[in-house]
Amino acid sequence: MRILHIITTINRGGAENHLRDLIEGQIRNFGCEVACAYLKGDGYWKAELESLGVHVFPLGLSQYGELGPLWRLKNAIASFAPHIVHAHLAPAELYARIALLKSPQLPFLISRHNESRFYGGPGANMLERWVVSRADGIIAISDSVKRYYSKRWPASTNRRITVVHYGLNPHCFQNVDREKVENLRAEWGGNGPTLLIGSVARLVPAKAIDVMLTGYAKFINQVTTPKTKLVIVGSGPLHEKLRSHSEKLGLKDHVIWAGFRQDIPLVINAFDIFALTSVTEGFGLVLLEAMSSGKPVIATNVSAIPEIVADNESGMLIPPNDPESFAGS
């Protein structure tokens, strides 16, 4: 079977990381021939996908509405001749839908990885319904994602939604070099009695890192022992704003801005506690990574997170946008 995946980017991120693992499974476990077309981005996973034998098609999008990426996608479909086309994330869904206009018999799947509008402009709902009407099947990565779209789409579309949760091979999180873990902890000041509270997240509004910072400031003002440090791993457009907010809270010596890192199994194993204060999560794959590393989790009780973290069993759930609850957890 030949499967063509179409996605907006293959940068490192939740949906993109999942797609990389999905493709590897399709090749190694089922002997599929797989291609991946992506609209834009830095092509983070390109070399690794190619090492798996994947045909990778960069579509060269610089701004939405360009026709060049559409023609390149149509050429990719023609040359690869897939048996199934599988689209991930809204922009890629739209380009795939248009490219398949003259291929009505070619099976088309869509995976929905988050809870969000198709795009922010006028006519979004109508265009989204036109795109999903072509889908032979729609995968929602959580019950929460399914509920979100079921309220927006007609019953005929909802009947084609199937929930397939993300999976994770825990091996790389359970078999890390302990010496490297201890070295990283020492680098971050986590030696002796100091506990490292850590988070891995894009620095964007949905992750509500400002709430985490405010809650952490309240915590260290209330509790003198044990000593702690907060480690933020990730990058994004809010970096400078969040760093300034942190300093205004008096956290300059308490927060470590670790930036973007690729060694996430090592990073998470260096934490003592993992925290996530998102206001929405389509799934929250990083929570599986934290639990696979044996770390206690503090996370917000929103979207799909309660499907992953059982409150007071595999972690602690707190209300969103509530620094006091984060401080008290």
Side-chain angles (χ1 to χ4, degrees):
M1 177 178 286
R2 291 188 301 278
I3 303 170
L4 171 62
H5 293 280
I6 305 170
I7 190 166
T8 305
T9 80
I10 51 172
N11 298 351
R12 191 174 180 92
E16 296 84 356
N17 298 352
H18 160 74
L19 179 58
R20 180 257 172 231
D21 292 343
L22 175 63
I23 287 174
E24 182 178 20
Q26 289 172 336
I27 292 170
R28 293 186 173 173
N29 299 335
F30 300 100
C32 299
E33 187 176 357
V34 181
C36 179
Y38 67 99
L39 289 173
K40 61 179 183 175
D42 59 21
Y44 177 87
W45 287 115
K46 183 175 184 291
E48 183 160 344
L49 290 174
E50 289 176 335
S51 73
L52 294 171
V54 178
H55 306 263
V56 180
F57 298 99
L59 301 179
L61 178 73
S62 58
Q63 61 181 10
Y64 292 118
E66 291 179 328
L67 294 180
L70 179 61
W71 304 134
R72 286 188 279 274
L73 177 56
K74 292 178 73 172
N75 289 337
I77 293 171
S79 65
F80 185 66
H83 298 115
I84 294 174
V85 172
H86 189 167
H88 308 258
L89 305 177
E93 290 178 24
L94 178 58
Y95 274 81
R97 173 70 168 96
I98 297 172
L100 292 174
L101 282 173
K102 294 186 178 180
S103 305
Q105 302 307 315
L106 184 56
F108 179 45
L109 298 179
I110 286 173
S111 278
R112 282 292 168 100
H113 298 267
N114 48 41
E115 302 169 11
S116 62
R117 292 192 65 195
F118 200 60
Y119 63 87
N125 291 342
M126 183 173 63
L127 188 58
E128 179 182 39
R129 290 189 177 201
W130 177 74
V131 169
V132 299
S133 69
R134 171 64 173 82
D136 298 280
I138 301 166
I139 296 171
I141 64 165
S142 65
D143 292 318
S144 179
V145 169
K146 180 179 179 179
R147 287 194 298 271
Y148 178 85
Y149 290 108
S150 293
K151 296 174 183 177
R152 301 164 57 88
W153 296 342
S156 58
T157 301
N158 294 339
R159 285 193 289 270
R160 286 177 274 130
I161 304 176
T162 302
V163 174
V164 181
H165 289 97
Y166 282 168
L168 179 74
N169 184 343
H171 177 79
C172 66
F173 292 91
Q174 296 173 348
N175 296 275
V176 297
D177 187 319
R178 302 313 305 180
E179 183 177 354
K180 290 183 178 179
V181 169
E182 291 307 315
N183 289 341
L184 184 57
R185 285 181 56 82
E187 178 185 330
W188 287 339
N191 43 8
T194 301
L195 293 179
L196 296 181
I197 303 168
S199 189
V200 178
R202 291 175 297 118
L203 305 185
V204 295
K207 303 301 180 180
I209 300 296
D210 59 321
V211 175
M212 184 183 300
L213 292 168
T214 303
Y216 179 63
K218 292 178 180 293
F219 169 75
I220 63 173
N221 286 330
Q222 296 167 2
V223 179
T224 56
T225 56
K227 293 182 178 179
T228 63
K229 287 197 173 182
L230 179 64
V231 183
I232 307 295
V233 177
S235 60
L238 294 183
H239 174 80
E240 291 303 325
K241 185 176 181 180
L242 289 170
R243 193 158 189 158
S244 175
H245 178 59
S246 171
E247 292 179 2
K248 289 177 181 177
L249 291 168
L251 296 176
K252 185 175 182 179
D253 296 328
H254 298 273
V255 177
I256 296 165
W257 298 92
F260 174 80
R261 295 185 65 113
Q262 300 187 51
D263 53 348
I264 298 304
L266 184 66
V267 163
I268 293 181
N269 272 273
F271 297 157
D272 294 295
I273 299 169
F274 185 85
L276 191 70
T277 49
S278 302
V279 293
T280 180
E281 281 288 346
F283 184 82
L285 187 60
V286 70
L287 295 169
L288 289 187
E289 296 172 347
M291 291 190 288
S292 294
S293 304
K295 304 302 172 181
V297 168
I298 302 169
T300 41
N301 190 4
V302 295
S303 303
I305 292 177
E307 298 175 44
I308 305 167
V309 180
D311 192 21
N312 293 318
E313 293 181 21
S314 54
M316 182 178 293
L317 297 179
I318 61 174
N321 291 315
D322 191 341
E324 293 285 354
S325 291
F326 183 80
S329 60

